[in-house]
Amino acid sequence: EQLLGNMVLGNLSSLSELSSEGKSGAFFYYTADGNYMLKTVTPKEYLLLKKMLKGYHDHIFSQPGTLLVRFLGLHCLSVRKTPKGISCGKASIKKLYFVVMANMFNTPFEIHRRYDLKGSWIGRQTPPEKYDPSVALKDVDFQNANECIRVGEERKE
C-alpha cells in the first residue's frame, strides 16, 4: 500500500530504479530494503498475466516449494491529466501497467550467475561484451555452459 501511495503521489525517492537491458524496455524499481520489485509491463503482458492468474495462484498454493517467481500484485494505474487553464478541456488518461514481485535475488547467499530463462532459443544469448556478474545471462548461455538445475529428489515430481 505504501509503495502504491508513493507512486500516486510521485514520491519514488524510496525506490531505486534500474532500466532493463531487455528488448521490452521495461523498468524495474526496487524497494529500499530490496525485498520487493516492481516491473512495468505492456498492456498485452498485463492481459496475459491476468488470464493466467487463477492457474498461477492455484499452482503457487499447491506447490509452496516451487521455484517460480512470486507475483504479489498485478496493477493498472490510470492517471488523468487535464491541460492547465482549461476547465472543460479534454482530459488525457495515461495507463501504467506493472507487477509487484518478491525479489528472489535478495538473499544472504552469494549469487555466482544469474539467468533469465524464458524457454526460447531465439535471440536468447548474451553478447560476450556484456558478460558481467550483474547481467542476467539467457537460455542459450545456460545451455552452452552445460548448466543444470538440481532440485533434489523430493522436488522432482
Side-chain angles (χ1 to χ4, degrees), residues 56-94:
Y56 172 82
H57 176 271
D58 292 347
H59 178 78
I60 293 293
F61 276 89
S62 68
Q63 302 293 323
T66 182
L67 298 175
L68 290 179
V69 68
R70 297 299 198 272
F71 287 107
L72 306 173
L74 175 63
H75 305 277
C76 174
L77 182 63
S78 297
V79 179
R80 183 179 202 166
K81 187 173 181 180
T82 306
K84 287 186 178 182
I86 302 173
S87 60
C88 298
K90 273 193 166 180
S92 64
I93 296 177
K94 175 83 174 160

Side-chain angles (χ1 to χ4, degrees), residues 5-156:
N6 284 336
M7 285 182 66
V8 170
L9 297 173
N11 177 16
L12 298 178
S13 61
S14 64
L15 303 173
S16 58
E17 179 181 334
L18 173 69
S19 291
S20 168
E21 299 92 19
K23 295 176 187 172
S24 71
F27 287 93
F28 293 85
Y29 296 94
Y30 296 86
T31 56
D33 63 7
N35 287 330
Y36 306 102
M37 60 188 270
L38 179 150
K39 177 188 176 200
T40 60
V41 295
T42 65
K44 189 176 179 180
E45 290 169 321
Y46 173 85
L47 292 173
L48 177 64
L49 288 167
K50 191 173 177 181
K51 187 190 291 187
M52 295 170 34
L53 189 59
K54 172 78 170 98
Y56 172 82
H57 176 271
D58 292 347
H59 178 78
I60 293 293
F61 276 89
S62 68
Q63 302 293 323
T66 182
L67 298 175
L68 290 179
V69 68
R70 297 299 198 272
F71 287 107
L72 306 173
L74 175 63
H75 305 277
C76 174
L77 182 63
S78 297
V79 179
R80 183 179 202 166
K81 187 173 181 180
T82 306
K84 287 186 178 182
I86 302 173
S87 60
C88 298
K90 273 193 166 180
S92 64
I93 296 177
K94 175 83 174 160
K95 292 186 176 185
L96 173 68
Y97 299 94
F98 61 95
V99 294
V100 178
M101 300 176 274
N103 183 2
M104 65 185 349
F105 295 119
N106 187 21
T107 174
F109 302 108
E110 182 179 358
I111 298 172
H112 302 282
R113 285 175 300 285
R114 298 173 193 246
Y115 287 96
D116 178 18
L117 302 175
K118 297 193 187 287
S120 173
W121 308 114
I122 301 167
R124 301 290 304 153
Q125 186 167 17
T126 308
E129 66 273 9
K130 292 218 176 191
Y131 272 58
D132 178 282
S134 66
V135 173
L137 302 173
K138 300 177 181 169
D139 299 67
V140 174
D141 306 316
F142 186 83
Q143 183 183 34
N144 288 346
N146 291 319
E147 296 278 11
C148 64
I149 298 173
R150 294 179 188 89
V151 294
E153 289 299 320
E154 67 280 356
R155 287 191 177 174
K156 273 190 176 179

